[in-house]
Amino acid sequence: MAPHAEGSSSYANGAESNSKEVMIKDLFTVDSPNVRYTNEEILSKYTYRTTSVVQTGDGRYVASPKETVYDFKVERKIGKVGMMLVGWGGNNGSTVTAGIIANRRGLVWDTREGKRAANYYGSVVMSSTIKLGTEAETGKEINIPFHDVLPMVHPDDLVIGGWDINRMDLAGAMDRASVMEPSLKTLVRKEMATMKPLPSIYYPDFIAANQEDRADNLLEGAHA
């Protein structure tokens, strides 16, 4: 349930986007009186069961079962989701952004070990599975992708932005980080050069001392 939104994604620094809300078909449905599907929503009830224990005056215990019913509502239509990164121009921010661009565009690049293709290996949401149940006839365990459990945004469709104390664009930040393969950096450089962090506050208690000389993109003020 994590489809790609139609059109290109945008960035919080002002780039336009044609992303639209999307709705996709369910990989599975739940046949239960506690689950109801409409065109817009998935409605479900969950009963949380626990036991309340009280000690009596003679030292004995009385255990009383307790039930709490929760109502859940999940929208089936997936809208636009923004991701704002603190320290966007740092090693993590620039690498995550380049990785999402590479996956979005389906990039393949050369390395010393051969060609590599973009993927989301290592992502809990995109690369893991969860047990759905057991097939009635064969007893086979059925596992499905984690991102198909409920409607959720695909990382390729995230609208990315962020703040940084340094005004360097993301292409320069990517070079400074020295994490990406040179051949991959060439493929994403043009797009990342258009991305510039929003001004940030400068609070020394949370910023490494060696970052002070880079602080040229700050919000003015006397208090953090």
Side-chain angles (χ1 to χ4, degrees):
M1 296 184 182
H4 298 290
E6 298 177 2
S8 60
S9 293
S10 64
Y11 299 88
N13 59 3
E16 293 185 358
S17 169
N18 294 320
S19 294
K20 299 177 181 179
E21 289 185 337
V22 293
M23 187 167 66
I24 41 75
K25 295 181 179 179
D26 301 315
L27 178 63
F28 70 96
T29 56
V30 177
D31 182 12
S32 167
N34 295 321
V35 180
R36 183 166 61 89
Y37 295 86
T38 72
N39 290 334
E40 294 80 25
E41 300 166 338
I42 302 173
L43 305 169
S44 61
K45 290 183 179 293
Y46 173 75
T47 303
Y48 176 74
R49 295 181 173 88
T50 186
T51 302
S52 175
V53 179
V54 176
Q55 187 174 21
T56 62
D58 58 0
R60 302 176 64 192
Y61 295 96
V62 177
S64 304
K66 299 290 183 181
E67 293 187 353
T68 304
V69 178
Y70 294 95
D71 291 296
F72 293 95
K73 180 174 69 173
V74 177
E75 292 186 1
R76 304 180 74 179
K77 186 177 291 185
I78 302 172
K80 291 175 62 176
V81 177
M83 179 176 69
M84 297 291 287
L85 301 176
V86 177
W88 192 19
N91 293 9
N92 292 333
S94 59
T95 303
V96 165
T97 302
I100 289 175
I101 292 172
N103 276 278
R104 182 184 297 150
R105 292 166 53 189
L107 296 181
V108 178
W109 61 94
D110 290 312
T111 72
R112 286 175 295 182
E113 292 78 26
K115 291 187 179 296
R116 294 292 174 88
N119 61 68
Y120 280 114
Y121 296 162
S123 165
V124 173
V125 172
M126 299 304 297
S127 297
S128 61
T129 62
I130 188 171
K131 182 179 178 180
L132 180 63
T134 304
E135 192 172 26
E137 294 184 0
T138 65
K140 177 183 177 182
E141 186 176 284
I142 304 299
N143 295 279
I144 62 171
F146 185 89
H147 59 73
D148 283 326
V149 174
L150 288 172
M152 62 182 70
V153 68
H154 193 289
D156 285 358
D157 302 322
L158 290 169
V159 181
I160 309 172
W163 307 268
D164 202 278
I165 61 173
N166 183 250
R167 68 175 71 249
M168 183 180 288
D169 63 56
L170 269 288
M174 174 179 62
D175 288 335
R176 182 174 60 196
S178 300
V179 174
M180 314 295 291
E181 290 277 357
S183 52
L184 175 56
K185 291 197 293 184
T186 299
L187 296 175
V188 300
R189 181 175 304 281
K190 183 177 180 180
E191 188 169 350
M192 292 188 67
T194 67
M195 305 176 195
K196 296 183 179 180
L198 297 169
S200 174
I201 62 170
Y202 183 75
Y203 194 34
D205 289 359
F206 295 95
I207 299 174
N210 63 0
Q211 302 294 309
E212 184 175 359
D213 293 340
R214 298 180 181 177
D216 60 1
N217 191 38
L218 306 179
L219 292 171
E220 295 183 1
H223 301 282

